[in-house]
Amino acid sequence: MMNETFGQRFTRLRKQRGMTQEELGERIGISGQAVSKWENDASMPDVGVLVELSEILGVTLDELLGKETSLTRVVPAEERKSMDDMVLRIRVDSSEGDKVTVNLPLKIVKMGIQMGMNMPQINGNKALEGINFEDIIKLVEEGLVGELVTVDSAEGDKVRIYVE
């Protein structure tokens, strides 16, 4: 719904699930009053709670936050694939017209991060420098899949990172 505040959207989604404010609060370990504050747009949930809320409400993070279309979704714990079976895809469309796709098994990426390795740059592309792959792994462990990061650099490069 267009022009819906976070609180209005959150209320609608909670009610669609047939939950009271208290029931939702209990599921995530907060008071019904805190849920009420979110619904009245008096405060917002902490970032760390958003993934759990999206799972409980059965929507993507983008939907919860009001973005209408999404390539990103939260997969419920019982439906998640093993991280050993997932792939990290990095797609770079450079301003010079080059298109590069790197497909890495997530298991290898995770092992490399645990060993302290840095992700290699693709053709010296600086757009990847600020991306924290350890945080991406944590999001995937919480059930987030799809397009996780999009970077449009000042140089005109577009970088997209997916986990599938």
Side-chain angles (χ1 to χ4, degrees):
M1 297 189 167
M2 297 299 258
N3 300 324
E4 194 176 39
T5 68
F6 175 83
Q8 292 167 334
R9 184 172 39 265
F10 184 73
T11 302
R12 176 176 50 79
L13 293 169
R14 177 185 57 78
K15 287 180 178 180
Q16 283 175 349
R17 285 284 187 214
M19 299 177 75
T20 66
Q21 291 175 341
E22 291 76 23
E23 289 170 336
L24 181 60
E26 284 177 24
R27 290 213 33 203
I28 59 175
I30 63 165
S31 70
Q33 291 172 325
V35 173
S36 176
K37 286 182 180 181
W38 298 343
E39 292 184 356
N40 290 309
D41 292 307
S43 68
M44 290 283 292
D46 291 333
V47 172
V49 176
L50 290 173
V51 169
E52 189 174 4
L53 287 173
S54 67
E55 282 184 358
I56 291 168
L57 298 172
V59 297
T60 66
L61 282 173
D62 284 345
E63 290 169 311
L64 180 60
L65 296 174
K67 187 175 178 184
E68 293 203 22
T69 59
S70 173
L71 300 174
T72 307
R73 65 189 185 287
V74 176
V75 178
E78 62 276 3
E79 297 175 19
R80 291 182 195 155
K81 289 197 288 186
S82 164
M83 287 186 66
D84 292 351
D85 297 329
M86 299 177 90
V87 176
L88 176 81
R89 300 186 197 287
I90 303 172
R91 295 187 181 150
V92 178
D93 294 332
S94 77
S95 58
E96 289 98 31
D98 296 327
K99 295 184 184 295
V100 178
T101 301
V102 177
N103 298 310
L104 299 168
L106 202 55
K107 181 178 182 177
I108 292 173
V109 173
K110 188 174 179 180
M111 286 175 27
I113 290 170
Q114 289 170 343
M115 294 171 36
M117 295 172 61
N118 292 325
M119 291 297 292
Q121 296 298 306
I122 300 172
N123 291 338
N125 190 300
K126 296 196 182 292
L128 290 172
E129 285 180 359
I131 297 172
N132 185 329
F133 286 91
E134 194 170 340
D135 286 345
I136 290 174
I137 296 294
K138 288 176 187 173
L139 289 171
V140 173
E141 289 173 340
E142 293 293 321
L144 202 62
V145 295
E147 185 175 341
L148 303 184
V149 178
T150 301
V151 178
D152 293 316
S153 74
E155 293 80 28
D157 297 333
K158 180 172 231 150
V159 177
R160 288 192 164 121
I161 298 177
Y162 302 82
V163 173
E164 304 172 338

